[in-house]
Amino acid sequence: SLEEFSAYTASFNLQANAFLWKGSLTPEPESIITMVVPSHFLINANGKILRKFPGTNKEVSVRKRMAKQIIKEVREEFENLNNK
């Protein structure tokens, strides 16, 4: 439910918005169709998707590499935004 999702995302205390895609838009945006499921999005204050990241992998070592890459890319995006 939306309430459970909201409670779950709030439990991380990240001070960031989380979005639950229900697939009710027709046609779906290209950025949604081509993503790996589950995925994570980095969006700006206007809701524009800046980057998207694959959500998980069954191998711990792969998940750790993914996390490091995501952190690197988020930092790059943050620096790009601050330099504009």
Side-chain angles (χ1 to χ4, degrees), residues 33-82:
I33 294 170
T34 59
M35 74 179 190
V36 175
V37 178
S39 290
H40 307 285
F41 297 108
L42 178 63
I43 62 170
N44 68 11
N46 297 321
K48 178 182 176 185
I49 297 174
L50 302 174
R51 297 207 185 183
K52 59 185 178 179
F53 310 99
T56 192
N57 189 284
K58 65 180 180 175
E59 299 294 328
V60 173
S61 62
V62 174
R63 287 197 307 267
K64 286 182 179 182
R65 281 198 320 268
M66 291 168 68
K68 287 179 183 178
Q69 184 65 32
I70 289 169
I71 290 167
K72 177 183 175 226
E73 291 183 29
V74 168
R75 285 182 175 159
E76 289 171 358
E77 194 65 44
F78 183 75
E79 288 178 16
N80 290 339
L81 291 173
N82 286 334

Side-chain angles (χ1 to χ4, degrees), residues 2-21:
L2 182 56
E3 293 79 21
E4 291 171 326
F5 176 76
S6 297
Y8 173 72
T9 57
S11 72
F12 292 104
N13 197 28
L14 296 176
Q15 300 176 0
N17 293 326
F19 299 93
L20 180 62
W21 175 260

